[in-house]
């Protein structure tokens, strides 16, 4: 039986590469013997050296280098569920996120992207909890500046370009593409992954409430379109903390498998593979 | 990290290819740099500036590289533009699902585009008027129109690009859902056209036949410019022009007995500070009474609203009164005024057939 292909979508710097580095380590290393992840490696194809390189960065608590934009790094990982033996392919169609920006600017996508989203698989949609950029109005900016606003030199107006849209607007647009031909019209599972979850300033917040508070337009869109998207929200941290602070010394003392954080509905023992397991379960649930 | 690295750091990298001393990142991409196996730990790294500003600068430089990179030459798959819809785009949309047509009319500068973009912007801050944002076929168009009200534009005060006559008739699509009613969806088509075209319609009634958005409207929203209403020399002119435009549209039978007409006073934040506010209020009340007598029984419903769609005054409620307008449009979607059979009888275009399909089915 052909394994279902699931697609990873996210704008540049939304945490996809770091997630992949941690996932690659977890699937390879089995360094969490007391809490084995639900998934294990089945097979892989793609850039083996690249996966190991970013994994090494993560192991030495070095911020995983931003995926080079001069090369479109595409990675596929084949996984198997330990209990059900169900297999799946995780496709990272463009780790740099460049192609997603081009979709918004040029209003075109690669044929391979269309193909990867034409099957029955789901989507992991990445957003970052690290300094989410919101649509700040001139009025609110002036309010925040107070007296300074009145004396501020008028700035030179910048022309509009799609890149200036808030990330949540860009993500809604990417999802709206999937609601129309040439993409097949069907209901998809979307696991919204809030990366850098260790940076969330309110630890008690659940990922769905974080998205509701910080990316409201995306949240409203998803809950209004349940006929097209079945959504769950997860908070993940591939690093487990900030590598640029004193935490780094503590983090170095632990293996990447021990550092990772994953929270969300039905996530057991911080299992980093839980969002993927949920995507894979869609097929079982339908059966 | 691109800049502000102390020179001393460079001499401690064992990799001769590394140009970290020149302000470039670690050649192996290590961040923090002490995680690089080539970097000697006795380097003076105390002065490293790891704040986010540097990261942003680095990102911007990366972005520049991105723009210069050659793009894949393989054939691409076309995606929807996100631009405003023309008539063909509206017809295509109506094949997918029905929509309510909100036709916003008013003279130049009365705030038509500002109302449209301010309505959209509210959903970026959260649910608005008890509704959720459910999607838009014209998302990029909303963003573009909202740009000069955003801090990212560098504008000192919020502004809106004027709609030119060359742009012709455009539609903005906004879908909202009601969480209190199992996320029931409502699709709205908001028209946008240069105010000069409506001025011409008032002065030269044969041109009304070109205003297809008026004839197809479920709701006509006539905007009265609050900025001009507080100008004693303009006050009478604004009211008379508004009355005259409605009369012209009725006379040309562009507005039918099934159409809802909403007369909306804009920029009421400016009126709130007007020294002769009481006098203006009395005059407005008299105008509304007169309009009710003149056309109240010729339209489906005549109603009056006050809004301040985008006040530069931060102490003013954002999009004041726009929530009531949205409520009224959604109410209409729930309880449509039935279209007389005489209207259905003169359908001839695909646009008409698609537009009134639900009404025909209900008839």
């Amino acid at each position: 039986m052909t394994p279902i292909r699931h697609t990873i979508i996210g704008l540049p710097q939304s945490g996809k590469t770091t997630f992949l580095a941690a996932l690659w380590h977890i699937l390879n290393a089995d360094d969490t013997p007391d809490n084995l992840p639900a998934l294990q490696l089945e097979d892989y194809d793609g850039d083996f050296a690249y996966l190991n390189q970013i994994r090494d960065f993560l192991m030495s608590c070095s911020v995983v280098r931003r995926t080079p934009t001069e090369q479109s790094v595409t990675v596929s990982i084949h996984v198997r569920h330990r209990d059900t033996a169900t297999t799946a392919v995780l496709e990272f169609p463009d780790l740099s996120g460049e192609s997603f920006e081009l979709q918004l600017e040029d209003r075109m996508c690669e044929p391979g992207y269309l193909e990867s989203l034409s099957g029955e698989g789901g989507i992991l949609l990445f957003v970052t909890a690290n300094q989410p950029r919101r649509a700040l109005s001139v009025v609110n900016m002036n309010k925040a500046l107070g007296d300074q606003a009145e004396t501020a030199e008028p700035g030179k107006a910048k022309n509009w370009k799609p890149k200036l849209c808030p990330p949540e607007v860009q993500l809604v647009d990417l999802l709206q593409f999937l609601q129309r031909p040439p993409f097949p019209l069907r209901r998809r599972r979307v696991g919204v992954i809030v990366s850098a979850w260790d940076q969330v300033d309110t630890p008690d917040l659940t990922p769905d409430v974080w998205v509701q508070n910080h990316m409201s337009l995306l949240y409203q869109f998803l809950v209004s379109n349940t006929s097209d998207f079945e959504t769950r929200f997860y908070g993940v941290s591939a690093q487990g903390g900030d590598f640029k602070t004193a935490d780094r010394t503590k983090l170095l003392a632990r293996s990447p498998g021990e550092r990772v954080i994953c929270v969300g509905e039905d996530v057991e023992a911080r299992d980093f593979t839980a969002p993927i397991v949920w995507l894979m379960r869609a097929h079982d649930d339908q059966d | 990290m691109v800049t502000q690295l102390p020179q001393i750091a460079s001499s401690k990298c064992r990799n001769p290819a590394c140009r970290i001393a020149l302000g470039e990142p670690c050649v192996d991409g290590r961040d923090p740099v002490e995680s690089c196996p080539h970097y000697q730990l006795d380097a003076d790294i105390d002065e490293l500036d790891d704040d986010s500003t540097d990261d942003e600068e680095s990102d911007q430089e990366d972005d520049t590289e991105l723009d210069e990179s050659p793009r894949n030459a393989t054939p691409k798959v076309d995606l929807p533009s996100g631009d405003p819809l023309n008539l063909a785009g509206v017809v295509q949309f109506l094949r997918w699902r029905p929509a309510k047509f909100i036709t916003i009319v008013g003279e130049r500068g009365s705030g038509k585009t500002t109302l449209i973009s301010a309505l959209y912007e509210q959903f970026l801050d959260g649910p608005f008027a008890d509704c959720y944002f459910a999607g838009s076929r014209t998302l990029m168009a909303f963003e573009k129109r909202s740009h000069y009200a955003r801090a990212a534009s560098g504008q000192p005060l919020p502004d809106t690009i004027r709609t030119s006559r060359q742009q012709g008739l455009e539609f903005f699509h906004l879908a909202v859902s009601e969480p209190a009613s199992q996320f029931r969806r409502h699709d709205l088509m908001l028209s946008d056209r240069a105010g000069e075209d409506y001025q011409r319609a008032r002065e030269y009634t044969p041109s009304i036949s070109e205003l297809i958005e008026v004839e197809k409207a479920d709701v006509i929203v006539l905007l009265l410019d609050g900025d001009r209403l507080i100008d004693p020399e303009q006050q009478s002119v604004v009211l008379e022009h508004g009355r005259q435009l409605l009369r012209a549209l009725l006379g040309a039978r562009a507005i039918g007995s099934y159409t809802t007409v909403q007369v909306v006073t804009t920029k009421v934040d400016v009126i709130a500070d007007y020294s002769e506010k009481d006098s203006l209020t009395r005059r407005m009340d008299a105008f509304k009474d007169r309009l009710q007598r003149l056309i109240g029984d010729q339209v489906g419903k005549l109603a009056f609203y006050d809004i301040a769609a985008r006040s530069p005054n931060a102490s003013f409620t954002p999009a004041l009164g726009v929530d009531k307008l949205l409520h009224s449009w959604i109410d209409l979607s729930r309880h449509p005024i039935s279209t007389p059979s005489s209207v259905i009888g003169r359908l001839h275009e695909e646009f008409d057939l698609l537009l009134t399909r639900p009404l025909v089915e209900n008839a």
Side-chain angles (χ1 to χ4, degrees), chain B residues 167-359:
Chain B
Q167 286 172 263
L169 173 62
E170 295 180 326
F171 290 92
F172 288 74
H173 165 242
L174 177 67
V176 299
S177 73
E178 292 180 283
S181 303
Q182 283 90 44
F183 291 95
R184 182 177 172 184
R185 179 178 170 125
H186 305 273
D187 287 272
L188 304 173
M189 286 288 177
L190 306 151
S191 75
D192 191 30
R193 182 196 277 277
E196 288 88 339
D197 286 344
Y198 297 117
Q199 183 180 334
R200 183 160 185 264
R202 176 171 54 77
E203 292 167 346
Y204 179 65
T205 54
S207 71
I208 291 174
S209 62
E210 298 166 14
L211 305 178
I212 187 170
E213 75 278 19
V214 174
E215 192 180 337
K216 308 306 175 194
D218 294 290
V219 183
I220 297 282
V221 181
L222 169 67
L223 301 189
L224 302 176
D225 188 346
D227 253 345
R228 294 175 67 201
L229 282 170
I230 62 168
D231 179 348
E233 292 178 2
Q234 294 284 316
Q235 205 172 82
S236 297
V237 175
V238 171
L239 297 177
E240 178 55 21
H241 283 184
R243 186 196 67 79
Q244 202 177 34
L245 177 58
L246 286 179
R247 187 179 172 187
L249 297 177
L250 274 163
R253 297 177 188 272
I255 297 180
S257 58
Y258 51 89
T259 312
T260 293
V261 174
Q262 299 176 332
V263 179
V264 178
T265 306
T266 66
K267 306 169 193 172
V268 294
D269 53 323
V270 177
I271 294 175
D273 294 333
Y274 180 43
S275 57
E276 303 297 324
K277 185 174 63 178
D278 292 342
S279 165
L280 176 60
T281 303
R282 283 194 295 277
R283 186 152 194 196
M284 291 298 294
D285 288 344
F287 169 77
K288 291 170 187 174
D289 286 343
R290 185 171 164 225
L291 209 56
Q292 191 74 53
R293 283 198 306 276
L294 283 171
I295 70 165
D297 59 352
Q298 298 178 55
V299 298
K301 185 181 178 184
L302 176 64
F304 299 91
Y305 297 85
D306 295 334
I307 64 169
R310 188 186 281 152
S311 173
N313 183 350
S315 60
F316 229 79
T317 306
L320 179 79
V322 178
D323 54 341
K324 289 178 183 165
L325 274 179
L326 180 57
H327 272 303
S328 70
W329 300 339
I330 288 172
D331 277 344
L332 193 76
S333 181
R334 282 201 212 95
H335 312 293
I337 297 168
S338 59
T339 309
S341 57
S342 59
V343 173
I344 295 172
R346 57 186 170 90
L347 302 178
H348 56 280
E349 297 171 2
E350 187 181 22
F351 182 93
D352 299 308
L353 295 166
L354 290 165
L355 181 59
T356 55
R357 181 171 53 193
L359 298 174

Side-chain angles (χ1 to χ4, degrees), chain A residues 23-37 39-41 82 255 257:
Chain A
L23 181 67
W24 182 243
H25 173 79
I26 287 166
L27 294 174
N28 268 295
D30 281 350
D31 75 345
T32 53
D34 298 331
N35 298 306
L36 281 176
L39 300 181
Q40 59 185 348
L41 205 57
R82 288 182 194 275
S255 74

Side-chain angles (χ1 to χ4, degrees), chain A residues 12-13 53 56-58 60-66 69-70 96 98 101-111 114 131 133-143 152-166 168-170 172-173 176-177 179-183 212 216-217 219-225 243-244 248, chain B residues 1 26-32 34-35 50 52 55-56 58-59 62-63 65-67 69-72 74-83 92 96 120-128 131-141 143-144 147-158 176-177 183 185 310-315:
Chain A
Q13 293 186 296
Q53 184 192 30
D56 289 352
F57 271 53
L58 195 68
S60 57
C61 286
S62 176
V63 175
V64 174
R65 191 180 188 181
R66 186 181 173 193
T69 51
E70 64 271 18
S96 76
E98 179 192 2
E101 284 193 330
L102 290 181
Q103 281 187 39
L104 301 164
E105 285 178 20
D106 297 349
R107 318 304 285 185
M108 288 187 286
C109 74
E110 298 288 344
L114 171 62
Q131 299 175 335
R133 186 163 56 85
R134 302 197 69 175
L136 178 66
S137 70
V138 174
V139 173
N140 285 336
M141 181 186 69
N142 289 343
K143 187 179 181 182
E153 288 290 317
K156 190 180 176 185
K158 295 176 188 167
N159 289 331
W160 180 82
K161 52 185 177 180
K163 215 173 184 175
L164 290 176
C165 296
E168 57 179 321
V169 174
Q170 297 185 39
V172 166
D173 217 18
Q176 288 193 143
F177 288 148
Q179 293 179 297
R180 300 175 67 181
F183 294 93
Q212 196 172 355
S216 182
L217 195 83
Y219 182 85
Q220 294 172 57
F221 174 79
L222 286 168
V223 299
S224 296
N225 287 277
F243 290 169
K244 294 182 181 180
R248 184 165 180 266
Chain B
M1 282 159 289
C26 164
V27 71
D28 287 338
R30 296 286 183 166
D31 183 16
E34 60 266 38
S35 68
D50 283 344
S52 57
D55 287 343
E56 286 166 12
S58 173
D59 295 344
D62 283 353
D63 290 346
E65 288 173 15
L66 184 154
D67 291 335
S69 65
R71 291 175 183 178
N72 197 331
T74 55
K76 303 284 199 302
V77 178
D78 286 335
L79 298 170
S81 71
D83 290 337
Q92 188 184 33
W96 176 47
Y120 159 72
E121 283 166 34
Q122 300 316 301
F123 290 99
L124 288 165
D125 287 334
F128 179 66
C131 291
Y132 276 25
F133 171 85
S136 170
R137 287 283 174 99
T138 57
L139 192 57
M140 289 299 105
E143 279 290 314
K144 197 170 182 177
H147 177 61
Y148 291 107
R150 299 252 178 90
S153 70
Q155 285 280 98
L157 289 171
V176 299
S177 73
F183 291 95
R185 179 178 170 125
R310 188 186 281 152
S311 173
N313 183 350
S315 60

